[in-house]
Amino acid sequence: MKWHYHADKGFTLIEILIVVMIIGVLIAIIIPNYLSYVTKGYNSAALADLRNFKDAMEAYYADYRMYPTY
């Protein structure tokens, strides 16, 4: 007599739901952190722009002894 072992291939619904839940939890943790980093990046860029603007205004003042009025 031959015994045939029939192995089911694939995942069960519960396994798939667990994986989806884990991915959902990871996304819920990652997205706020990502948005925080993006906000910090925008703030850093804005501060750098303001420093450059200040330097340009001071250079103009050094050349003309007045600040531009336009």
Side-chain angles (χ1 to χ4, degrees), residues 15-30:
E15 290 171 335
I16 292 173
L17 288 175
I18 290 172
V19 170
V20 169
M21 275 186 8
I22 291 171
I23 291 172
V25 168
L26 290 174
I27 288 174
I29 293 170
I30 291 172

Side-chain angles (χ1 to χ4, degrees), residues 21-43:
M21 275 186 8
I22 291 171
I23 291 172
V25 168
L26 290 174
I27 288 174
I29 293 170
I30 291 172
I31 287 179
N33 289 336
Y34 173 73
L35 293 177
S36 172
Y37 290 131
V38 169
T39 302
K40 287 179 184 177
Y42 287 146
N43 289 343

Side-chain angles (χ1 to χ4, degrees), residues 1-21:
M1 249 194 197
K2 291 185 179 180
W3 292 89
H4 293 285
Y5 179 71
H6 180 66
D8 290 333
K9 295 183 179 179
F11 299 104
T12 65
L13 180 61
I14 293 175
E15 290 171 335
I16 292 173
L17 288 175
I18 290 172
V19 170
V20 169
M21 275 186 8

